[in-house]
Amino acid sequence: MNSGEYFYDLGKLIYQIDNAYEDYGKKTSLNSPNLLWILYALNDGKMHTQKSVCDDWQIPRSTTNTIIKELEEKKLVTLSHLNGTRREMIVGLTEEGKKFADGALTKLYEKEKQIYEKMKNPEKFLEELRNFVDLLSILSEE
């Protein structure tokens, strides 16, 4: 296999992974893959800002802001200013939002656990993937 074939196969696999999650989201009434990933991010029990969600998940700010505003209107999230900043907002799930996220994601977590348990070496795979993502900085070099 040469580098062209490698990256061609890799591109197809990335889109197959993305499509699998998009299909899951559609089956659970999450109308967009970005909504799925935002709920996924917020449902980990940690503090998040809108900026950290955008940066960590590479979701455009306008998309993230639109989805979070819709979730806020439905009383599924709360927004509050991060101390010491003018614009940075902390976003957190309300009790109703936690129930909604759990309902939408519990089966996904279970299926991911099944996949994890069937993998030969999931930690090594993740390590290699992180290394690969770090190496992608070569694409932005001139």
Side-chain angles (χ1 to χ4, degrees), residues 33-90:
N34 290 322
L35 174 59
L36 175 114
W37 291 120
I38 289 171
L39 285 176
Y40 200 98
L42 297 177
N43 201 38
D44 69 353
K46 299 176 184 174
M47 185 193 84
H48 298 279
T49 63
Q50 285 184 270
K51 182 181 183 315
S52 71
V53 171
C54 293
D55 293 346
D56 291 348
W57 295 87
Q58 296 293 295
I59 300 171
R61 289 180 194 256
S62 59
T63 302
T64 302
N65 186 52
T66 298
I67 291 170
I68 288 176
K69 287 293 182 193
E70 289 171 2
L71 293 172
E72 184 183 34
E73 287 171 10
K74 295 176 182 175
K75 303 199 183 312
L76 299 175
V77 299
T78 59
L79 292 170
S80 58
H81 283 282
L82 179 63
N83 289 337
T85 66
R86 270 186 32 177
R87 299 175 122 189
E88 195 79 27
M89 300 293 284
I90 297 171

Side-chain angles (χ1 to χ4, degrees), residues 105-118:
L105 299 173
T106 296
K107 285 185 181 178
L108 176 63
Y109 297 149
E110 291 168 2
K111 291 179 182 293
E112 287 176 332
K113 183 178 179 187
Q114 290 173 8
I115 294 166
Y116 178 86
E117 290 171 349
K118 290 182 180 199

Side-chain angles (χ1 to χ4, degrees), residues 102-134:
D102 285 343
L105 299 173
T106 296
K107 285 185 181 178
L108 176 63
Y109 297 149
E110 291 168 2
K111 291 179 182 293
E112 287 176 332
K113 183 178 179 187
Q114 290 173 8
I115 294 166
Y116 178 86
E117 290 171 349
K118 290 182 180 199
M119 292 180 73
K120 291 180 183 161
N121 192 341
E123 290 83 9
K124 181 70 173 166
F125 176 76
L126 202 55
E127 179 185 331
E128 289 293 329
L129 202 51
R130 282 190 184 111
N131 183 48
F132 181 83
V133 168
D134 289 344

